[in-house]
Amino acid sequence: MYIHRAMEAKLKNLASHFPVVMVCGARQAGKTTLLNQIREKNKEIQYVTLDYPMLRTLAREYPELFLQQYRTPLIIDEFQYAPELLPYIKIRTDQAKQNGLSHPMKSTGLRIGSFLLSAIILPAGLSGCSPDKKALPNQPKTITAESTDHSSAQISESDLAPTIAQTAKNDDAQISLHPTESDIPQPPAFAEAVPPKTISRPDWSSYFGELNGAAVLFDPEENTVQVYNENLADTRRSPCSTFKIISSLAGLENGVIVPENSTRTWSGETFWNDDWNRDMDFSSAFRTSCVWYYQQIIDEIGADTIQKTLDTLSYGNCDISDWQGRQNTNNSNPALTGFWIESSLKISPREQVNVLETLFGDTSPYSPDTRTALEEVMFFSEASKKNCAIYGKTGMGKANGVVVDAWYTGFADVGHRIYFCIYLGETANQNISSTQAREIAVSLTKDYFLY
């Protein structure tokens, strides 16, 4: 559950005065959660994280090309991985000023052409403390306030200065308005992925017809990302039942789900989906998208672990504040609502693909047993062939009785692994469904990679 930070208002205030703002602090200090909350309230702000090796390498080796992919205002998370971006950010902000675009945007409080940068500070010994202020060149006036567990600080507008630090023994955060390359720690030494050869925007309208939809396909072997209907592909919507991939992940990793001993007893309440009116195990609950089963799983996992999982994966806006799903306008049954169903949690199709690559890719931080268990329940046997195995999860959500979100997200093994997400949004005079999204995903995958 998101807890309001006093720092949020201060950060937006600073961003309205300066073109570049950096948020620094120890790992798990809440920087990403704070920035995602700001973006959720300001739809014009774009967000990208350098957690993903592909994007990280693109930013480091081709910084100008990387910045061309995004409009401003822009949040760049995990910025410490790519200090090479700094000269190009300076060029972009100087150009914005020369073009008269440096005034604040009314709806965001940020300046047009501005950047919010987030970086982890890990000094010698990985102590989790902020860097010594003496090490910063030309140290300006600094205001320090005692931190709380919620990373809050109180800073008046009259105290605005190029550096504002918030310190505590174990939960430090710093906001620096004029970072230099020397202020940013170098990324850890590990093998980087090859930068993508192609970011293309093919015309796949024939697959969608009159449907309002988007598609994202990522081929790690060729390092190609293909995006259809980019605006919609970058629009965050409720994940609905596609979130069962993540709740299953958290359940498996934390021992809440043990596949061979996962049966839960049906309460006897009659639900609209007859498949749910019986005892369910992990496999049957996943395949039938049984909400009551997963609501119990998520409650047992707990908000802290769910939030940590979302933050680790950079899962959309990471917002589980409406835990019980009271924002859902289509269902008032508490057994069938939750933050992932037309409620506070939202994610874009492009982010769905990034999350899947993190979860199932070669550098996945999750256990082989967890990934194998997920692959088994995600396998779509009806559409799979010897040379093309399809894995995925559908999702569908309604608002006031009308389907407004329909998903199919997953991956395919076609000699190598590719990742995809198909999304269908509300379309005038057209019915949409997750079955349609799945059909489009299967057709696109087979047409593109097999024929």
Side-chain angles (χ1 to χ4, degrees), residues 407-418:
W407 299 86
Y408 189 63
T409 186
F411 55 89
D413 288 335
V414 290
H416 63 286
R417 182 157 289 183
I418 60 170

Side-chain angles (χ1 to χ4, degrees), residues 40-41 76 163 167 184-185 217 246 293 312 315 357 359 443:
E40 181 61 21
K41 295 178 180 179
I76 305 178
T163 300
T167 60
I184 303 173
L217 270 71
I246 308 306
Y293 183 97
T312 298
Y315 191 91
E357 196 273 334
L359 203 171
S443 296

Side-chain angles (χ1 to χ4, degrees), residues 148-169:
T148 70
D149 290 339
H150 309 312
S151 299
S152 65
Q154 295 184 356
I155 305 166
S156 67
E157 183 172 351
S158 62
D159 289 326
L160 290 177
T163 300
I164 293 180
Q166 174 195 4
T167 60
K169 292 181 180 179

Side-chain angles (χ1 to χ4, degrees), residues 74 84 111 228 252 269 289 329 343:
L74 173 64
E84 294 84 356
R111 298 159 68 93
Y228 169 72
L252 290 163
E269 179 180 356
S289 285
T329 62
S343 184

Side-chain angles (χ1 to χ4, degrees), residues 263-283:
T263 300
R264 291 174 178 262
T265 304
W266 171 46
S267 67
E269 179 180 356
T270 301
F271 298 107
W272 66 268
N273 188 332
D274 191 54
D275 288 336
W276 301 348
N277 298 325
R278 58 185 175 88
D279 295 352
M280 306 286 287
D281 63 10
F282 169 48
S283 178

Side-chain angles (χ1 to χ4, degrees), residues 7-23 34-35 38-39 42 45 72-75 93 101-106 108-117 155 157 160-162 164 175-178:
M7 182 66 75
E8 180 181 333
K10 308 303 178 184
L11 178 57
K12 288 191 287 188
N13 200 353
L14 291 169
S16 70
H17 287 74
F18 298 90
V20 181
V21 178
M22 174 172 282
V23 181
L34 172 62
L35 293 176
I38 289 174
R39 180 181 183 245
N42 301 280
I45 304 174
T72 55
L74 173 64
I75 294 171
T93 55
L101 298 177
S102 58
H103 61 279
M105 298 176 66
K106 291 182 180 180
T108 66
L110 273 69
R111 298 159 68 93
I112 298 176
S114 68
F115 295 83
L116 290 177
L117 312 177
I155 305 166
E157 183 172 351
L160 290 177
I164 293 180
I175 299 178
S176 174
L177 297 182
H178 297 290

